[in-house]
């Protein structure tokens, strides 16, 4: 199931919507129309929210979870003589490897999940991100 997570431009709250063809994306908090999906296949060509044509790809990984795993490993260092660090790093890496990729719009930072990510999408590039900083 393809979804989009974004921040509403009116109420500034994050929400998630399912991507279905020929439907409007409406904020469930303030009922503001935020965008429109014409075809799910073309979502990664043009952002349904801001019509930007540039996306970056990243793993759909909860950063808080990754930091928490490593923090537990760091806290256990005095009792494990440092052996907890490689063990928890391996655990973190195994979790990371099992997760899928998602695409993120450079302009509005909408996160698109559940779609086949094209090979031409690259990880975040700072020189492209700087171009869109003025829009966020």
């Amino acid at each position: 199931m393809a979804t989009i997570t974004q921040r509403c431009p009116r109420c500034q709250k994050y929400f998630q919507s399912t991507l279905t063809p020929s439907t409007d994306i409406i904020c469930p908090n303030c009922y503001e129309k935020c965008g429109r999906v014409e075809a799910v296949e073309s979502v990664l060509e043009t952002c349904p929210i801001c019509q930007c044509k540039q996306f970056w790809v990243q793993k759909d990984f909860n950063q808080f979870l990754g930091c928490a795993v490593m923090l537990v490993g760091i806290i256990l260092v005095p009792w494990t003589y440092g052996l907890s660090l490689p063990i928890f790093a391996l655990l973190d890496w195994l979790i990371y490897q099992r997760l899928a990729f998602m695409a993120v719009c450079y302009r509005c930072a909408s996160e698109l999940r559940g779609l086949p990510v094209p090979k031409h999408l690259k990880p975040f590039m700072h020189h492209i991100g700087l171009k869109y900083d003025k829009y966020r």
Side-chain angles (χ1 to χ4, degrees):
M1 174 174 65
T3 62
I4 186 169
T5 304
Q6 69 146 59
R7 178 181 279 189
C8 176
R10 183 173 169 197
C11 68
Q12 298 298 310
K13 293 184 180 176
Y14 281 98
F15 69 95
Q16 186 171 16
S17 298
T18 304
L19 296 174
T20 53
S22 301
T23 56
D24 292 330
I25 298 172
I26 298 172
C27 175
N29 302 307
C30 66
Y31 304 106
E32 174 80 13
K33 179 183 173 188
C34 299
R36 180 161 177 80
V37 177
E38 294 299 331
V40 177
E41 301 81 30
S42 66
V43 167
L44 289 177
E45 294 170 11
T46 304
C47 179
I49 307 302
C50 65
Q51 285 66 48
C52 179
K53 296 185 184 302
Q54 292 187 304
F55 298 90
W56 83 81
V57 66
Q58 69 181 30
K59 285 280 193 165
D60 191 6
F61 190 66
N62 185 337
Q63 291 178 356
F64 178 76
L65 175 64
C67 290
V69 168
M70 288 310 298
L71 182 64
V72 170
I74 291 167
I75 290 172
L76 292 176
V77 163
W79 296 280
T80 63
Y81 301 104
L83 295 176
S84 62
L85 287 178
I87 292 169
F88 278 88
L90 178 65
L91 176 66
D92 190 51
W93 181 79
L94 289 172
I95 293 170
Y96 181 83
Q97 291 300 314
R98 299 202 68 196
L99 297 173
F101 284 97
M102 71 174 179
V104 183
C105 176
Y106 271 105
R107 186 172 183 175
C108 66
S110 295
E111 299 172 347
L112 299 150
R113 293 178 174 86
L115 297 166
V117 178
K119 297 288 183 197
H120 71 275
L121 292 182
K122 303 290 183 220
F124 184 81
M125 295 184 193
H126 292 283
H127 65 281
I128 297 173
L130 287 173
K131 184 169 78 172
Y132 292 105
D133 272 349
K134 60 185 170 193
Y135 297 109
R136 288 194 247 161

